[in-house]
Amino acid sequence: MVRSLSFLQLFVILAVGYIGGVLLYRGIPDADFSFLVQLYDSRAAQNSSTSLLIQLASFLSFYVVAMILSLSKRTSWFVMLVGALKAVLFGLASAHILAGGVNMLAYSGWWFPFKLLGTFLVIVFCWTLSPPFFTRKTVKRSNNSKLPLMIVGVGLVLFFADKAAYNLLGG
């Protein structure tokens, strides 16, 4: 029951963050969110001229910030905030793409599935770094660093699969 409750909480964070990002985009129509959207994914801001290295750095920045925040007990409370921020940016970028009149086949076949999985991976990564209070070990043991590294590896595979699907669909 505890495991299913935790994954349910992760899906709630994802859904609330996504809806929050969409509402933020719709609630402030005069604001220019293109800079935030470009930080999330430059292709969503209709700027595909960004180099692969900058896109990779933008992708890895969420993992790095979460890892840095998890190193201290004082900042470990903010680790899940990184995952929630990624979900909000996912919703914001999604609303930006749809408002820009993107092809629905490209959106539903390429952008949305890859970004949904990528965002959920960041949330799971944050959860492994700073688990909820009811799943923490009571006995002091060393942290297992294999699972977070494996999640980052899966995220990198997903990142390059996203690039391949983007090029395949004529992006």
PDB file of all heavy atoms in Angstrom, residues 19 83 134:
ATOM      1  N   ILE A  19      -1.228  21.001 -14.994  1.00  0.00           N
ATOM      2  CA  ILE A  19      -2.400  21.882 -15.030  1.00  0.00           C
ATOM      3  C   ILE A  19      -2.031  23.285 -14.558  1.00  0.00           C
ATOM      4  O   ILE A  19      -2.487  24.284 -15.111  1.00  0.00           O
ATOM      5  CB  ILE A  19      -3.549  21.282 -14.202  1.00  0.00           C
ATOM      6  CG1 ILE A  19      -4.069  20.012 -14.888  1.00  0.00           C
ATOM      7  CG2 ILE A  19      -4.685  22.281 -14.014  1.00  0.00           C
ATOM      8  CD1 ILE A  19      -5.016  19.197 -14.053  1.00  0.00           C
ATOM      9  N   GLY A  83      11.134  18.601  -9.208  1.00  0.00           N
ATOM     10  CA  GLY A  83      10.239  17.792 -10.030  1.00  0.00           C
ATOM     11  C   GLY A  83       8.936  18.509 -10.316  1.00  0.00           C
ATOM     12  O   GLY A  83       8.415  18.451 -11.439  1.00  0.00           O
ATOM     13  N   PHE A 134       7.344   8.567   5.186  1.00  0.00           N
ATOM     14  CA  PHE A 134       6.864   7.249   5.583  1.00  0.00           C
ATOM     15  C   PHE A 134       7.558   6.121   4.825  1.00  0.00           C
ATOM     16  O   PHE A 134       7.329   4.963   5.120  1.00  0.00           O
ATOM     17  CB  PHE A 134       5.344   7.135   5.399  1.00  0.00           C
ATOM     18  CG  PHE A 134       4.855   7.516   4.050  1.00  0.00           C
ATOM     19  CD1 PHE A 134       4.852   6.614   3.010  1.00  0.00           C
ATOM     20  CD2 PHE A 134       4.383   8.799   3.820  1.00  0.00           C
ATOM     21  CE1 PHE A 134       4.397   6.970   1.762  1.00  0.00           C
ATOM     22  CE2 PHE A 134       3.921   9.152   2.575  1.00  0.00           C
ATOM     23  CZ  PHE A 134       3.926   8.244   1.548  1.00  0.00           C
TER      24      PHE A 134
END
